[in-house]
Amino acid sequence: MLYFSTLILSFAAGSVSTQASNPLQKYTISAPGISATFIPYGARLTNLYVNDKNGNPQDVVLGYDDAADYVRNDETVHTYFGPIVGRYANRIKNGTFTVQGVTSHTPENDNMGHDTLHGGKLGYDQRNWTVVSANSTSVTFSLLDQAFEGFPGNVITFATYTVSAGPRWTSRLVSIPLDEPTPIMLANHVYWNLGAFVDEAGSTVLNNTLQMPYAARYVEIDNIEVPTGAIGTTKGTFLDFTSPKQIGRDIESAINNCGYNCTGYDNAFILDRPRYSSPESTDLSQLTLSSNSTGIQLDIYTNQQSLQIYTCDNTNGTIPVKRSQQHADKTTFVEKYGCIVIETQQWIDGVNHAEWGQDAYQIYTVDSEPAVVFAQYDFSVLGA
C-alpha cells in the first residue's frame, strides 16, 4: 500500500500531471474498428462506434449530442446515461449499513425514501472528475470522494478507459480507501442498443439475442427491487439466459419483475464460474449480446460476480436518440425496451447480507487491496 499512499499524496499535492478541464469537454479515443468519447462529468461514456455487418460505423450507446443535456437530465428524470455510479452501485436497503460496528446512513433517493440508489442524491455520476491523462487510445479520470453522501471515510478512484484493436473497449476502475473501512461497489452504467436504431427491429432490444452461460442464480427482490435475502435459480423460468435466447421471448412473463406493476427485466444475475475457473477470473465471456439488424455482437469479460440487467422497462418515447442514431425520415425516440443496461458489479445490497459472504468483495480498508472493477467489451460481427 506504500506505493498507493505515495501516489495519493503526490496527487493531492499537485505533483502528478493533471488537466483541469471543462467537465463537459469531450475526449475521443480510437483504435482500428472502434471509437469512444467520454466527458469528465460522471467519467461518462457518450458515444461508442463500432462497425456493423456492412462495414459502416454505428453508435451503440445511448446519450445526448449536447453534453449539457446530461446535466439537465440529472436535474429532472435522472436516467444515468453512461456514467460511473458509486460509491455504491445499485440499491442499499433503507439507506443503512453497518461496517465493523459503525452504522452509516445514506440518502434514500429511491422508491419514495425506502432505499439508496447508485450512491445517493449526488453520486459519482454527477461529480466532475479530473482528467489525469489522455492520449489517442486511453483516458484516465480521478475522483476524490470526501465522505460523500454519508459514506464513511475518504476514497480516491481512478477510472481508465482504453480502446484497442479487436475491436475492444476496456474499463478499469480502481478505488482506494484512505482512512476508514467502507463499502465500495462501482459500475459503468451504459445504455446499449447494438441495433443502433437502424431499422424497426433495431429500435428495441427485444430481438437481440442474449446469453449469460454462468447465470444460473439470481438475487430475489421485493416489489421495490430491494433484495429479500433469498437466492433463486433461473432454470426453467423467464430469467433463464444460460442458453442463447431473444430478450423478447419471455419478457411478457416478467410481470412485476422490475418493481410493482412493471413488466421486464431489472435483475441481479449471479455469475457462478465453472470449477476450472475462479470467482474473479476474467478468462471467460460472462455475457454475449447480438443484434441481427446490424450484425454487431458484444462479449463481456469481467472480474465481478454479478450482472445487473435492465431492459429499459420505463423508457417512454420522450427522449430522442442522438443524431448518429437517426436513420428515419422522422425523429426516432427511445421507446420502451429500446435499450439494455449491463452493470458489472458485486451482489446488490451485499453490504447488508453477511450470510452471502460478500464482505471480502465489498468492504475495503486502508490496509486491504484496492477495489478493482475490470470490464472488457469485445465487439465482433455475426458470421465473420
Side-chain angles (χ1 to χ4, degrees), residues 5-18 144 156 158 178:
S5 298
T6 303
L7 175 62
I8 293 158
L9 289 173
S10 299
F11 178 83
S15 60
V16 174
S17 176
T18 63
L144 179 59
I156 190 165
F158 296 91
L178 305 182

Side-chain angles (χ1 to χ4, degrees), residues 83-100:
I84 292 172
V85 290
R87 174 185 310 190
Y88 195 92
N90 224 314
R91 292 173 170 84
I92 298 175
K93 185 176 182 177
N94 297 326
T96 303
F97 56 88
T98 300
V99 174
Q100 296 189 8

